[in-house]
C-alpha cells in the first residue's frame, strides 16, 4: 500500500517535510521522506507476484517524530553506532560528543541526522537527492559537514543508497541506513524464521555497552557464523557473552573482501522473498530487532513486537575514532567521503 504524500505535508524547523515515491517498471517501489532522509516503505513482490511492504514504519510524519523508535528507516549520522566514552581525538584535540547511551555516544547523538529535515530534490521517477549541512559543533562534532545522499531504484529491483560528504575541518563520519526489514511484510510476525547468510568470518568483539575491544572474534563454531544460510532463531539462545551483551543479534560483522561485494542475503521461505545487501563498507551491523514491543502502532496498525524486524546497517566499525586497529573514519577537508549500500530484492530461484 502506498503511503499518501499529504500525510507528510508539514513544516518542521522552518522546513517543508515531504514524501517522494520512486518506482521502476516492474512496480518495485520505495518511498522516502526528507525527515531523517529515511525509507518509509518498500513494496516488493513475493514468489506469487504479490506486493507487500517489507519495512517497518509509520504512515504519517507525526508518528515518525513522536515514536520511541527514532531510527525507523532513517539515515544515521554523523557517526552511526557507538563512540566509547562519547569522545575522540583528532590531531591531539579532544572532542566531546553527546553521551546519549549511558556514557557512550550512539547514532549521532541526541538530535542526529535521523531527526533533521533534509533539503530534497526528486531528480526522476526513480531517484531523489537529499542534502544536509551539519554545522560545526553540532552534537559536539567538529567542522561544517555537507552530506548528499541519493536513493535510487533500478530495473533490477535494487534500492541503491549513495552517500557523499565533505567537511571544512577534520571530523568523524560513519553513515548508514537504519531500515527495519521483515520479508513476510511489516507487522506480519517474527523474523526468527528468516534465513540469514552473512559473508563474514569475524565480528568486532565488544564489552558491556557494545564498545569494541579492538579485536576481531572469529565466528567459526559460534552463533554468529552465517557463512552458510542459517535460520536466524536457531542459535539465538546459545550461551555466548556477545549474544548477552547484544540481547541477541546486535553485532558488527567484518565483511569478507573489499570493494562492492555481497555482504548478506536474507531469504524468507513462506513468501519466497529475498534481500541481498551489497556494499563497499568494511562492516555491517546485524541487529535482530531486540526492542520491547513498540508503543507506536505501525503503518497498518500492527504492534511491532520484539524481534519482528532485522537491520543490516552497512558501515565502518563501531568506535573507530578510538580504535587504532580499525580503518579510519576521520574525514579530512581535502577528501570526499563516499559510501554505497544496495538493498536488492528478489524471489527464491531454483538455480
Ligand atoms: C542498532 C543497534 C543498537 C540500537 C539501535 C536502535 O543500530 O546497534 O543497539 O538498539 O539500533
Amino acid at each position: 500500500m502506498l503511503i499518501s504524500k499529504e500525510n507528510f505535508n508539514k513544516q518542521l524547523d522552518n522546513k517543508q517535510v515531504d514524501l517522494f515515491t520512486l518506482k521502476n517498471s516492474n512496480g518495485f517501489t520505495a518511498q522516502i521522506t526528507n525527515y531523517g532522509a529515511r525509507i518509509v516503505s518498500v513494496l516488493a513482490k513475493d514468489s506469487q507476484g504479490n506486493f507487500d511492504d517489507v519495512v517497518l514504519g509509520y504512515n504519517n510524519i507525526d508518528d515518525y517524530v513522536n515514536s520511541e523508535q527514532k531510527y525507523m528507516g532513517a539515515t544515521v549520522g554523523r557517526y552511526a553506532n557507538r563512540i566509547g566514552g562519547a569522545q575522540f581525538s583528532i590531531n591531539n584535540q579532544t572532542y566531546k560528543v553527546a553521551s546519549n547511551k549511558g556514557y557512550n555516544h550512539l547514532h549521532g547523538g541526541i538530535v542526529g541526522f535521523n531527526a533533521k529535515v533534509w533539503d530534497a530534490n526528486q531528480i526522476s521517477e526513480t531517484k531523489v537527492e537529499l542534502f544536509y549541512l551539519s554545522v560545526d559543533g553540532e552534537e559536539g562534532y567538529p567542522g561544517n559537514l555537507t552530506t548528499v545522499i541519493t536513493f535510487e531504484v533500478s530495473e533490477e529491483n535494487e534500492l541503491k543508497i549513495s552517500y557523499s560528504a565533505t567537511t571544512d575541518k577534520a571530523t568523524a563520519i560513519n553513515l548508514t541506513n537504519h531500515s527495519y526489514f521483515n520479508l513476510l511484510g511489516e507487522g506480519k510476525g517474527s523474523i526468527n524464521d528468516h534465513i540469514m547468510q552473512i559473508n563474514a568470518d569475524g565480528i568486532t568483539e565488544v564489552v558491556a555497552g557494545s564498545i569494541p575491544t579492538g579485536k576481531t572474534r572469529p565466528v567459526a563454531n559460534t552463533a554468529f557464523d552465517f557463512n552458510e544460510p542459517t535460520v536466524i532463531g536457531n542459535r539465538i539462545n546459545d550461551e555466548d557473552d556477545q549474544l548477552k551483551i547484544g540481547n541477541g543479534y546486535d553485532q558488527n560483522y567484518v565483511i569478507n573482501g573489499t570493494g562492492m561485494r555481497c555482504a548478506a542475503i536474507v531469504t524468507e521461505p513462506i513468501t519466497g522473498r529475498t534481500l541481498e545487501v551489497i556494499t563497499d563498507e568494511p562492516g555491517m551491523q546485524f541487529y535482530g530487532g531486540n526492542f520491547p514491543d513498540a508503543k507506536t502502532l505501525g503503518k497498518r496498525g500492527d504492534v511491532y513486537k520484539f524481534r519482528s524486524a532485522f537491520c543490516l546497517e552497512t558501515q565502518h566499525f563501531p568506535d573507530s575514532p578510538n580504535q587504532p586497529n580499525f580503518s579510519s573514519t576521520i574525514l579530512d577537508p581535502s577528501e570526499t567521503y563516499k559510501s554505497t549500500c544496495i538493498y536488492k530484492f528478489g524471489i527464491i530461484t531454483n538455480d
Side-chain angles (χ1 to χ4, degrees):
M1 198 181 54
L2 273 185
I3 309 281
S4 147
K5 199 175 168 76
E6 283 80 72
N7 295 358
F8 283 78
N9 180 5
K10 183 162 188 152
Q11 294 272 325
L12 279 179
D13 306 336
N14 294 319
K15 284 187 172 167
Q16 181 64 41
V17 176
D18 206 345
L19 182 69
F20 303 92
T21 301
L22 313 177
K23 189 172 183 174
N24 74 11
S25 67
N26 313 317
F28 173 69
T29 304
Q31 291 186 291
I32 311 294
T33 178
N34 58 331
Y35 175 69
R38 59 178 90 209
I39 299 170
V40 170
S41 69
V42 174
L43 305 183
K45 259 188 198 169
D46 68 8
S47 52
Q48 306 299 309
N50 300 317
F51 283 96
D52 204 350
D53 193 338
V54 294
V55 291
L56 275 55
Y58 306 108
N59 61 20
N60 65 86
I61 181 62
D62 292 338
D63 282 353
Y64 277 101
V65 173
N66 298 325
S67 170
E68 72 278 19
Q69 292 288 344
K70 295 199 271 187
Y71 308 107
M72 209 62 107
T75 294
V76 179
R78 284 187 200 192
Y79 200 96
N81 220 320
R82 281 88 179 156
I83 296 178
Q87 63 172 48
F88 56 89
S89 300
I90 305 176
N91 301 329
N92 296 323
Q93 163 119 29
T94 299
Y95 296 98
K96 290 191 187 307
V97 285
S99 46
N100 58 328
K101 190 82 178 170
Y103 297 113
N104 303 314
H105 179 85
L106 176 72
H107 288 344
I110 296 158
V111 187
F113 285 11
N114 58 292
K116 300 291 183 184
V117 183
W118 295 55
D119 293 325
N121 177 22
Q122 180 148 10
I123 292 174
S124 69
E125 283 179 5
T126 57
K127 191 172 182 177
V128 65
E129 193 170 42
L130 301 155
F131 307 83
Y132 177 65
L133 167 65
S134 171
V135 296
D136 190 6
E138 189 178 286
E139 299 293 325
Y141 289 98
N144 291 296
L145 181 78
T146 304
T147 302
V148 182
I149 305 181
T150 61
F151 291 87
E152 184 171 17
V153 299
S154 76
E155 284 300 298
E156 287 71 48
N157 303 333
E158 298 163 324
L159 174 55
K160 180 179 184 181
I161 311 169
S162 309
Y163 303 87
S164 80
T166 51
T167 183
D168 60 5
K169 213 190 259 180
T171 191
I173 181 169
N174 190 30
L175 301 177
T176 195
N177 178 268
H178 208 295
S179 284
Y180 290 81
F181 297 100
N182 185 326
L183 300 182
L184 283 165
E186 60 81 29
K188 293 196 172 165
S190 165
I191 47 96
N192 281 347
D193 292 333
H194 284 50
I195 300 165
M196 178 66 76
Q197 184 185 354
I198 303 178
N199 297 321
D201 295 334
I203 55 170
T204 48
E205 180 190 77
V206 291
V207 292
S210 294
I211 303 303
T213 61
K215 291 192 200 127
T216 297
R217 191 183 278 201
V219 296
N221 304 313
T222 74
F224 300 106
D225 191 350
F226 284 101
N227 281 295
E228 292 300 322
T230 308
V231 173
I232 292 176
N234 272 1
R235 300 164 301 182
I236 202 153
N237 295 318
D238 280 12
E239 263 313 302
D240 186 297
D241 67 322
Q242 302 292 289
L243 273 179
K244 273 209 184 80
I245 292 169
N247 190 26
Y249 289 110
D250 191 6
Q251 292 78 24
N252 171 64
Y253 279 78
V254 178
I255 303 303
N256 295 336
T258 55
M260 284 300 279
R261 67 219 187 280
C262 173
I265 302 176
V266 192
T267 304
E268 198 295 298
I270 298 170
T271 59
R273 287 196 185 89
T274 62
L275 167 61
E276 188 176 348
V277 182
I278 301 156
T279 187
D280 50 6
E281 286 285 349
M284 183 186 72
Q285 187 86 4
F286 166 33
Y287 175 51
N290 309 315
F291 52 76
D293 293 1
K295 292 192 202 81
T296 310
L297 296 183
K299 53 188 135 185
R300 291 189 284 209
D302 298 290
V303 176
Y304 291 144
K305 297 200 168 141
F306 183 58
R307 297 186 181 151
S308 65
F310 63 89
C311 304
L312 295 172
E313 309 157 41
T314 60
Q315 58 191 268
H316 270 58
F317 301 164
D319 198 33
S320 294
N322 293 310
Q323 300 289 344
N325 297 337
F326 293 173
S327 65
S328 172
T329 49
I330 305 303
L331 179 70
D332 196 73
S334 63
E335 302 167 321
T336 301
Y337 168 90
K338 294 257 183 220
S339 172
T340 307
C341 173
I342 297 175
Y343 292 122
K344 179 173 184 177
F345 295 86
I347 50 174
I348 299 171
T349 51
N350 291 322
D351 42 72

